[in-house]
Amino acid sequence: MSNIQPSPAKKAIGLLPNLIFMSRWLQLPLYLGLILAQCVYVFHFWVELTDLIGAVFGNAASLDHILDVVTIDGAVRPTKLTEATIMLVVLGLIDVVMISNLLIMVIVGGYETFVSRMNLESHPDQPEWLSHVNASVLKVKLAMAIIGISSIHLLKTFINANAYDVKTLLAQTGIHITFLLSALAIAWCDRIMTATQNQANGEH
């Protein structure tokens, strides 16, 4: 006689639990809104890049726009493209790219974690981090992306350090260090939780 036991029948989900579970789809408009925000950043990136190229080739309107963008309150407005001016524009473009990367992580990782599986296992372009994404991994990834964005802003501030007072410089540095410490704390807590979970699984 076979010792195989029949698998227990799956219990039907009640009306209220099913309604609560289906409420996760309310997040879908939020992720679609972030996709629209991504489109805005793409347009902004293209405008800044075309103006930078136009300024290099002598377009007066593009040059005025670039100089207005890099000039901060309290600083002398430059009259031509310099290495520092170009660096500030490029840092702004990198900032846009990093924020765009942050949006992608939130959209793809958040949808995969909190809404529905996208079944990208066989897709050749599946992000490496998405194969083991969960809420903890997503928090660490987002923290690292925020640190990168903060680093760009801090570098832009240091380039124009003569236009800021000491309090502003110290405040921005302190905020950046706070981001670093927060990321380390998140990663440390995630490591402890992972080790505890592995230990519990080993005992079973």
Side-chain angles (χ1 to χ4, degrees):
M1 294 181 62
S2 175
N3 294 326
I4 299 177
Q5 298 293 330
S7 58
K10 292 184 179 180
K11 185 178 179 180
I13 301 177
L15 179 62
L16 182 58
N18 188 57
L19 177 62
I20 294 174
F21 183 60
M22 291 297 293
S23 67
R24 72 191 191 280
W25 288 102
L26 291 175
Q27 296 188 53
L28 180 59
L30 305 181
Y31 291 116
L32 294 178
L34 289 180
I35 293 174
L36 293 178
Q38 180 95 318
C39 295
V40 173
Y41 268 106
V42 171
F43 177 76
H44 175 73
F45 182 92
W46 180 251
V47 169
E48 296 298 323
L49 180 61
T50 52
D51 279 335
L52 177 60
I53 296 174
V56 170
F57 285 99
N59 185 288
S62 296
L63 179 61
D64 286 340
H65 174 77
I66 290 298
L67 296 179
D68 288 338
V69 167
V70 300
T71 303
I72 61 174
D73 295 335
V76 179
R77 186 179 186 274
T79 57
K80 61 180 181 178
L81 282 179
T82 61
E83 181 182 357
T85 303
I86 297 174
M87 184 185 301
L88 288 171
V89 176
V90 172
L91 286 176
L93 296 178
I94 295 174
D95 190 28
V96 171
V97 172
M98 297 189 73
I99 295 177
S100 181
N101 292 339
L102 178 62
L103 283 172
I104 287 295
M105 282 191 286
V106 172
I107 294 169
V108 178
Y111 184 89
E112 176 85 10
T113 304
F114 301 109
V115 180
S116 179
R117 298 292 183 188
M118 290 188 287
N119 299 319
L120 298 176
E121 289 77 10
S122 59
H123 198 285
D125 294 329
Q126 180 196 13
E128 182 274 334
W129 55 269
L130 191 60
S131 61
H132 52 273
V133 69
N134 53 45
S136 297
V137 172
L138 190 59
K139 283 189 293 185
V140 174
K141 294 289 185 182
L142 295 180
M144 297 305 297
I146 292 173
I147 289 173
I149 295 170
S150 176
S151 300
I152 295 298
H153 282 267
L154 191 60
L155 181 57
K156 291 168 68 175
T157 299
F158 283 160
I159 292 176
N160 290 312
N162 57 344
Y164 294 96
D165 56 25
V166 177
K167 290 183 179 180
T168 302
L169 294 174
L170 291 177
Q172 291 199 18
T173 304
I175 292 172
H176 183 68
I177 293 174
T178 302
F179 284 148
L180 287 173
L181 295 177
S182 299
L184 290 174
I186 292 173
W188 183 62
C189 292
D190 180 59
R191 182 177 180 180
I192 293 176
M193 292 174 61
T194 302
T196 303
Q197 184 177 4
N198 292 337
Q199 184 178 0
N201 292 336
E203 292 178 354
H204 292 293

